[in-house]
Amino acid sequence: MITVNINGKDYSAEKDETVLAVAKRNFIYIPTFCHNEAVADYGSCRICMVEIWTKKGKNKLVTACLFPVEDGLKVETNNERVLFIRKNIAELLLAKCPASAEVAEIAAQLGVYETKYRIEKDGNKCILCALCTRVCDEVVGRKAISLVNRGINREVAIPFYDNAAACIACGSCVYICPTNAITMTDKDGIRTITMPNCEMKFALRKCNSCGREWIPEKQVKYFLSSAPGLTIEEFDLCQSCRK
């Protein structure tokens, strides 16, 4: 165990834990968008910036979700310098995602209600946190979506914007998106997943008992092909009717 000082108070930590992990465990609030415990950290949104001092006297601003703690590290999560940077990042996010209520909420917590930067795209909610691409790759194992293009044209997309061959309609990207930029609806036997630049539709399988449409047919096919021993009959009943 090592000792880390956060906002003037000492805390015990495991070597190589991140600043964010130690802060969260001790109920110290640091705002985040691109962090989720289900996937590896990425550090894209930068809203979790904190100021650190090492034993050797090195002082700098770092992303709390990526920076590993070390013995004797001093961290300030809410001082004047940190707040100045966070407010500027909040303004950039407001310009990037003017339609995101979640971005507006965190910006308001920082006292930011408008941005001096040019609005990039009306209606945009995607902050390019890459949580959707990471969960699809690291958890689902499909790599059905990715970040494409560069600079101001950077965006999340499926291959060629219309090729959903790898997607199994599990909805993991929808559940993990922090700004509701990706949505999903199940209606009339069809699951529709809507991304900022495309829409995908998948047929749903009905439960033989209650008639509820409960799982995408494509997901069933994926399970059958990846788990030897499974039979199609195991998907005849929804979770509720199996009890």
Side-chain angles (χ1 to χ4, degrees):
M1 298 290 286
I2 61 175
T3 299
V4 179
N5 185 285
I6 304 179
N7 298 337
K9 185 175 179 180
D10 288 341
Y11 298 94
S12 295
E14 297 286 346
K15 187 179 179 181
D16 294 330
E17 270 191 298
T18 65
V19 170
L20 180 62
V22 178
K24 287 184 68 175
R25 187 172 65 252
N26 290 285
F27 307 101
I28 301 169
Y29 175 69
I30 297 176
T32 63
F33 276 119
C34 66
H35 168 77
N36 190 290
E37 293 180 358
V39 296
D41 284 308
Y42 189 64
S44 62
C45 74
R46 322 305 282 184
I47 199 71
C48 71
M49 297 288 281
V50 296
E51 188 172 12
I52 62 98
W53 291 261
T54 67
K55 261 187 175 181
K56 296 180 179 179
K58 191 172 184 179
N59 168 231
K60 62 180 178 178
L61 291 165
V62 300
T63 50
C65 68
L66 291 177
F67 195 81
V69 296
E70 59 185 58
D71 194 45
L73 185 73
K74 179 183 175 182
V75 182
E76 286 290 335
T77 70
N78 210 34
N79 64 13
E80 186 176 347
R81 187 182 181 194
V82 168
L83 288 178
F84 176 80
I85 293 296
R86 281 194 195 148
K87 286 180 179 181
N88 194 54
I89 291 170
E91 285 197 50
L92 288 167
L93 289 173
L94 284 174
K96 180 73 177 176
C97 308
S100 172
E102 292 76 14
V103 168
E105 181 181 356
I106 284 189
Q109 291 174 8
L110 295 165
V112 177
Y113 299 94
E114 56 185 22
T115 177
K116 60 179 171 287
Y117 300 104
R118 179 178 60 85
I119 302 297
E120 289 189 23
K121 184 179 179 182
D122 288 338
N124 182 50
K125 292 183 178 181
C126 179
I127 61 172
L128 298 177
C129 67
L131 277 173
C132 58
T133 68
R134 285 178 283 151
V135 76
C136 189
D137 179 11
E138 298 173 27
V139 179
V140 183
R142 297 300 292 168
K143 297 184 180 181
I145 50 181
S146 60
L147 290 173
V148 300
N149 304 324
R150 296 181 179 180
I152 61 172
N153 295 318
R154 190 80 159 159
E155 60 184 342
V156 170
I158 59 175
F160 306 106
Y161 297 93
D162 64 357
N163 183 355
C167 181
I168 59 173
C170 65
S172 296
C173 56
V174 179
Y175 302 129
I176 206 169
C177 179
T179 60
N180 292 311
I182 307 176
T183 60
M184 180 174 72
T185 57
D186 291 348
K187 184 179 180 181
D188 299 329
I190 298 294
R191 169 166 291 182
T192 303
I193 297 178
T194 304
M195 301 178 70
N197 47 34
C198 64
E199 187 176 85
M200 301 175 285
K201 295 182 180 293
F202 305 88
L204 291 169
R205 185 178 185 83
K206 282 187 177 182
C207 172
N208 285 354
S209 178
C210 67
R212 182 171 68 93
E213 294 153 345
W214 70 285
I215 188 171
E217 293 284 7
K218 194 169 182 183
Q219 197 171 350
V220 172
K221 291 179 181 178
Y222 171 72
F223 288 147
L224 291 174
S225 64
S226 60
L230 276 180
T231 65
I232 190 69
E233 287 75 23
E234 295 183 58
F235 298 94
D236 285 343
L237 300 178
C238 67
Q239 299 98 319
S240 298
C241 293
R242 292 178 190 176
K243 298 178 180 179

